[in-house]
């Protein structure tokens, strides 16, 4: 809550946001902005750690304090799959909008977009869709083995996003570990570095084949 809309507006954009020089020292709250979600319990107050491995779940009291402080009626945010493509929370002051229907080919969710008319505090139009019903491959049978592989590949893509966003910090960590300047680190040090720099809990041993070439 110490972060303002102006702080967010002033984040330096780039392929590795947390390693942009202008953002140095703000990596933690920038990561929190990306990975935090509104708490699913409408009566929850305060904060708790997120099962994503980064960010927090925040309660409606935090929503009201932040929006009131910034003079805002509501916020629209994304980066969270919701079943109907759009979901309101915290007394209608937080809207989660997710446009990818049937996320990763297995979620079965709708995609959505919302339209606000000027001056309105709630969406005046909501568009929802299910791309799988429009696709020529609709109805394709997915075996349990294929489903597991799709989920693994989705996890690999998410892990790759973490790594790219923090590439500079990771390379600095591995340079310190590789004191002999061999250009190679062990799997143990690789995984340890990811956990230390990214602050994300993932089963790296299951993802390594999709991320790096291991000897």
């Amino acid at each position: 809550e110490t972060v303002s809309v102006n702080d967010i507006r002033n984040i330096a954009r780039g392929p590795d946001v947390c390693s942009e020089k202008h953002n140095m020292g703000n990596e933690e709250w920038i990561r929190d902005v990306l990975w935090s979600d509104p708490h699913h319990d409408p009566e929850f107050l305060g904060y708790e750690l997120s099962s994503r491995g980064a960010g927090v779940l925040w309660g409606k009291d935090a929503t009201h304090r932040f929006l009131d402080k910034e003079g805002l009626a509501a916020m629209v945010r994304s980066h969270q799959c919701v079943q109907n493509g759009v979901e309101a929370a915290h007394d209608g002051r937080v809207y989660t909008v997710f446009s990818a229907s049937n996320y990763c080919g297995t979620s079965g969710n709708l995609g959505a977009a919302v339209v606000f008319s000027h001056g309105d505090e709630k969406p005046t139009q909501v568009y929802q869709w299910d791309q799988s019903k429009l696709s020529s491959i609709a109805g394709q049978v997915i075996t349990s083995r294929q489903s597991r592989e799709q989920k693994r590949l989705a996890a690999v893509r998410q892990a790759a996003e973490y790594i790219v966003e923090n590439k500079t910090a990771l390379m600095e960590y591995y340079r310190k570990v590789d004191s002999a300047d061999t250009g190679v680190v062990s799997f143990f040090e690789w995984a340890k570095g990811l956990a230390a720099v990214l602050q994300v809990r993932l089963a790296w041993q299951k993802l390594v084949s999709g991320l790096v070439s291991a000897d």
Side-chain angles (χ1 to χ4, degrees):
E1 293 179 55
T2 59
V3 174
S4 68
V5 170
N6 195 51
D7 291 327
I8 298 172
R9 185 179 293 118
N10 288 331
I11 292 174
R13 269 57 176 182
D16 188 2
V17 172
C18 283
S19 296
E20 293 289 329
K21 184 176 181 180
H22 178 76
N23 297 332
M24 292 298 183
N26 297 322
E27 298 92 338
E28 184 175 355
W29 71 257
I30 291 174
R31 192 176 292 116
D32 284 345
V33 167
L34 178 63
W35 293 107
S36 295
D37 303 309
H39 202 286
H40 54 81
D41 181 352
E43 301 306 316
F44 177 85
L45 301 177
Y47 301 89
E48 70 177 29
L49 292 177
S50 171
S51 60
R52 287 178 183 258
V56 299
L57 302 177
W58 79 86
K60 65 178 181 180
D61 55 330
T63 291
H64 290 306
R65 285 195 299 270
F66 176 77
L67 293 178
D68 291 346
K69 180 188 72 168
E70 295 293 324
L72 301 172
M75 74 169 76
V76 180
R77 41 86 62 180
S78 190
H79 208 237
Q80 181 187 13
C81 181
V82 290
Q83 194 60 33
N84 292 317
V86 59
E87 185 173 277
H90 299 172
D91 303 320
R93 299 191 75 181
V94 178
Y95 291 91
T96 298
V97 181
F98 196 76
S99 61
S101 68
N102 197 29
Y103 185 53
C104 294
T106 59
S107 299
N109 64 288
L110 297 177
V114 298
V115 176
F116 285 80
S117 294
H118 181 70
D120 285 339
E121 298 180 359
K122 296 181 178 180
T124 53
Q125 292 177 291
V126 176
Y127 298 94
Q128 296 167 296
W129 55 85
D130 182 352
Q131 185 62 31
S132 65
K133 293 182 178 179
L134 304 176
S135 173
S136 60
I137 63 171
Q140 179 181 1
V141 175
I142 300 177
T143 67
S144 59
R145 182 175 179 180
Q146 288 173 321
S147 178
R148 287 195 300 272
E149 179 61 12
Q150 287 178 346
K151 290 178 181 178
R152 189 190 72 83
L153 291 175
V156 168
R157 286 194 295 270
Q158 185 180 59
E161 288 181 14
Y162 289 133
I163 292 170
V164 170
E165 289 169 3
N166 295 274
K167 179 177 64 176
T168 302
L170 282 167
M171 292 303 294
E172 181 63 25
Y173 178 95
Y174 294 132
R175 274 192 288 269
K176 291 179 180 178
V177 170
D178 182 24
S179 57
D181 197 24
T182 65
V184 178
V185 295
S186 68
F187 171 75
F188 173 78
E189 291 294 352
W190 175 77
K192 185 179 178 181
L194 291 170
V197 175
L198 304 185
Q199 299 289 300
V200 173
R201 298 182 298 273
L202 286 175
W204 297 109
Q205 69 277 12
K206 296 181 180 180
L207 305 179
V208 61
S209 62
L211 293 169
V212 299
S213 297
D215 296 327

